[in-house]
Structures are given as structure tokens and as C-alpha cells.
Amino acid sequence: MSVRAVVGLQWGDEGKGKIIDFLSPGADVVARCQGGPNAGHSVWYEGQLHVLHTLSCGLFHPQTECYHGHSMVINPYTLADELVLLTKLGITWKGRAFFSPRAQLILPCHLAIDEAREKKRGALGTTKKGIGPTYESRAARRGILLDYLRDSSLLLEKIEALHTALEPELTAIHYDGPSPEKVVRDLRAFCDTLIPLLRDAFTERLHEALGDGKRILLEGAQGHFLDLDLGTIPFVTSSRTTAAGLLDGLGLPPSALTGVFGVAKAYTTRVGNGPFPAELNDATGERLRKVGAEYGATTGRPRRCGWLDAVMLRTACDVNGVTAIALTKLDVLTGFETIEVVTAWDVDGTIVERVPDSPVAIERARIGSVETFPGWTEDITGVQEFSS
Ligand code: IMP
């Protein structure tokens, strides 16, 4: 039996999709546990790059079963598109992809609210996929569970109640999206596809797999510093992105965890607003963005870039109990005369080696010290072994 988690150690976009794809041949079950279409996991399949936002990348490997846990938020349109893509690629998903009936739907009203909030000054810089508003409905215990898809009148009742609760905000943003009746009608088009994906005994089957000694891989989305509680608040996503969050998002006990792969890019990037002490607003940052093709897989936005930040990595490794690190995109650094790594932050004159708990202090943090390493000029793309 093994339960291994893959978590991002920075602000997402570390290349988790590639690592999941690399580890999937050694897994029987691959599971997405949190987040939704704000994620963009890129995988090469038969010579072409594909990006999955909702479905687990484990589906590219035929021996796996792929679970999608209760902490996920699902846009049915995105999900349906991805199922069509897999079908076109000749990948079987029926009988392999399972969803918790407790996972929640992202509705047009959530998308409209996210979009409207992003137009205001001081916006978070979200992916505008309706993630925050959907998780807010969930926390208010008004969320629309996938489970409700099975009963149209219950679905309508729940969506009407949600719209009523959101009415002040929907009025303020001049919401002109579909009415609850229209949402239900539109959702009917997905029911034949989505309902068979719901697994009533989701938790039981998963625990059976655990008991049978199956190898389970947890596919983290986003990254440690986007975690709702432990990230750079308020510039975070709305789910728990840590290893503990992944277990919780799937209904697995902490004692089951046998390893944690922390994925970090060889430099740091962030998409969206918020503090970024190691950010380079200069030609070096521009070069990292250009060579690393640092544009969002979900939104296409240019990513902010900086050197590798060891302060962030130390904290993320501590909290997630990282047992192995996958350092990605090292080849992007080829050709730099020197390479820097941030080793400490300066917070109002105090030098710290771990990320402070105070989000206010994080906002004020600057680079405290760096270590400089000589660069290399050899093309290291595709190198499989380390030797000097
Ligand atoms: P949301 O998750 O769309 O609400 O966005 C909240 C913050 O998380 C924004 O800064 C987004 O750019 C960031 N974010 C969410 N998902 C990802 C991701 O998969 N990669 C990188 N950043 C993300």
C-alpha cells in the first residue's frame, strides 16, 4: 500500500502535471482532491501537449482509476469538454473516472460574481473561473452538490435558494445570466454523462483500494502559498492545497500517507496579485518569463518571475512533510552567467529564514540575502542522469 501526494511548493504552475504523469505508471489510483478548473495540468500525450483543468491527469494511463474528491468544484461545461477530448484521443474514461456526489457545481452566478469582483480595484487577480464564489456557497452550506443532479426538482429548489441568498450581490452586479429554471434546463444536457460518474460508495471504494494494497497518488492543484489558510492571505485560492488538505479532500486518514513529492520550479513564478519578495521586475525577470514560456495554462496571463526562493521552500517542506523534491524547468536557467537563490527575507530589518506567519509581515518582506552560483551553457534539456 502506498499513498503518495504531489504538492506544489510555490504559487502553483510548478509542473505538477508532468510529475503526476511521470509517477502515474506506478499508481493504481490517481486522485484530484481540491480546486477545480482554476488548475491547468499540462501533459504530453502521443506527441501533443494537453491541458486538463478538472479531470485527473492519471486518465492518460490506462491502468489507473481516477477519483475526484468532495472538496473539488466542478464546472460541468469544462468537465464535458475534457471528456470529449479524452474520447477523441481514444482514452477510455467510462468505469475509470469517479466523482464524489459531494463535490460542488460552479454555476453561472458564481462565474458572474467572480468576474465582477475582478473588475474592481484591489482585485485578487483570480482565474475568473468562479472558484471563490463557489467555495463561499459551500461554506455557507448553500452549495450545489453533484448529488442534486439526480433530482431535477431538488436541483431547482437548491439553485433557487442559492440565487435568493446571492440576490443583493447579483443585483449589484446587474446579473443577466440564466435564471434557476434555465440553469436546471441547461444542466440536464450533462446529466446523462455526469450522473454515471458519481460513485455513491466513493469513500468506501477508495478505502477498499487502500485495504487491497493499491498504490494511490494524490494530484495536488495550485501550490502551498495559494492555500486558503497557510498561503499569502488574502491573495490565495479558496481550497486547502497542502498534503493534509489533499487527504482531507478525499476522505483519507493522515496515517495513510507514505510520501510527499514537493514540486518546485528552479525559479519562482506567480500569476495574480499578492506579495512576491523574490520578484524580478527587470531584464532577468523578463528573460525567465520568455525562456520559460511563463504564461498561465488556464488564463494565458503573463506570470511574474523571480529567482528560486529557499525561504518559501523551507516552510513548504516543513508544513507538507516533503520526502522528495522534484525541481522542474532547470533547463530554463541555461545560459545565465550566474544563478541566484534567495536564502533569507528581510522583514522590517529582521532577517528570517522561514516564511512569517503574519501575512502583513509577508507583504513587507524583501530579499534579505542571496547565494550566487555559477551558471552553465550546455543544453541540459532531456538530461536523465546527474554526472559531472
Ligand atoms: P482562484 O483560485 O481563481 O480564486 O484565484 C485565486 C488566486 O490563485 C489567484 O492569484 C490565481 O492566479 C491563483 N491560482 C489559482 N489557481 C492557480 C493555478 O492553478 N496556478 C497558479 N495560480 C493559480
Side-chain angles (χ1 to χ4, degrees):
M1 177 205 89
S2 70
V3 178
R4 299 188 296 174
V6 174
V7 293
L9 301 181
Q10 294 156 325
W11 281 294
D13 308 321
E14 298 93 350
K16 293 179 294 296
K18 186 170 190 158
I19 303 304
I20 298 283
D21 192 48
F22 177 75
L23 295 172
S24 286
D28 305 299
V29 173
V30 185
R32 273 286 304 268
C33 315
Q34 41 71 231
N38 47 349
H41 291 176
S42 310
V43 169
W44 285 94
Y45 182 75
E46 295 185 342
Q48 267 203 303
L49 191 64
H50 299 284
V51 184
L52 291 185
H53 301 282
T54 296
L55 285 167
S56 163
C57 311
L59 285 162
F60 285 107
H61 297 267
Q63 87 292 350
T64 61
E65 286 195 333
C66 293
Y67 281 66
H68 303 81
H70 61 261
S71 286
M72 283 192 76
V73 288
I74 311 291
N75 181 325
Y77 293 86
T78 314
L79 173 55
D81 285 350
E82 291 181 12
L83 293 172
V84 169
L85 170 73
L86 295 187
T87 304
K88 273 195 197 138
L89 294 173
I91 294 170
T92 307
W93 47 266
K94 282 188 185 147
R96 292 184 57 218
F98 305 110
F99 282 75
S100 166
R102 292 171 188 256
Q104 311 222 349
L105 282 170
I106 301 171
L107 296 187
C109 57
H110 295 127
L111 287 162
I113 290 173
D114 201 3
E115 178 86 37
R117 288 181 188 169
E118 282 303 304
K119 284 194 185 126
K120 291 196 181 145
R121 239 158 33 114
L124 296 183
T126 74
T127 58
K128 298 195 216 167
K129 301 292 175 192
I131 305 297
T134 307
Y135 278 112
E136 285 172 28
S137 297
R138 172 187 188 243
R141 287 150 291 181
R142 291 191 198 103
I144 308 301
L145 309 185
L146 292 186
D147 199 26
Y148 303 157
L149 286 172
R150 297 190 260 217
D151 179 340
S152 294
S153 52
L154 178 65
L155 184 63
L156 178 60
E157 192 187 301
K158 296 286 184 188
I159 296 179
E160 277 173 345
L162 178 66
H163 272 235
T164 304
L166 295 177
E167 201 176 320
E169 191 161 6
L170 293 178
T171 305
I173 65 169
H174 307 292
Y175 175 72
D176 61 357
S179 64
E181 291 78 12
K182 171 88 167 76
V183 174
V184 172
R185 275 201 305 280
D186 292 346
L187 284 173
R188 274 203 206 113
F190 299 102
C191 284
D192 284 352
T193 310
L194 297 194
I195 291 171
L197 300 180
L198 305 184
R199 190 169 244 201
D200 279 323
F202 184 93
T203 310
E204 190 181 342
R205 290 285 103 77
L206 197 60
H207 280 261
E208 248 169 42
L210 197 63
D212 289 348
K214 296 273 168 67
R215 299 158 302 172
I216 301 176
L217 189 62
L218 308 183
E219 178 175 351
Q222 291 80 48
H224 177 86
F225 292 94
L226 288 173
D227 182 87
L228 177 62
D229 286 330
L230 293 168
T232 47
I233 293 172
F235 301 96
V236 293
T237 190
S238 304
S239 66
R240 300 300 319 277
T241 61
T242 57
L246 302 191
L247 290 161
D248 191 41
L250 207 61
L252 284 175
S255 55
L257 194 62
T258 52
V260 180
F261 290 90
V263 187
K265 213 179 274 188
Y267 46 98
T268 312
T269 63
R270 167 161 216 175
V271 63
N273 302 332
F276 184 170
E279 184 170 15
L280 293 166
N281 287 309
D282 58 10
T284 305
E286 188 52 45
R287 180 169 167 188
L288 287 170
R289 178 159 42 249
K290 205 164 157 209
V291 181
E294 294 298 348
Y295 295 88
T298 300
T299 58
R301 290 178 291 175
R303 295 178 185 142
R304 301 155 64 192
C305 297
W307 292 119
L308 186 70
D309 190 333
V311 179
M312 292 173 63
L313 296 194
R314 282 186 204 110
T315 298
C317 285
D318 286 350
V319 174
N320 291 284
V322 167
T323 51
I325 287 191
L327 197 65
T328 59
K329 295 187 91 166
L330 200 55
D331 52 351
V332 171
L333 302 182
T334 296
F336 278 94
E337 208 166 299
T338 54
I339 288 155
E340 295 187 7
V341 174
V342 173
T343 50
W345 288 0
D346 178 331
V347 183
D348 298 331
T350 304
I351 298 297
V352 297
E353 294 188 344
R354 296 279 191 290
V355 174
D357 283 318
S358 158
V360 179
I362 298 174
E363 296 255 8
R364 290 204 297 267
R366 301 286 169 264
I367 293 175
S369 64
V370 295
E371 201 169 328
T372 305
F373 298 89
W376 61 87
T377 52
E378 302 89 334
D379 180 10
I380 58 166
T381 314
V383 165
Q384 303 274 322
E385 276 171 37
F386 183 82
S387 61
S388 50

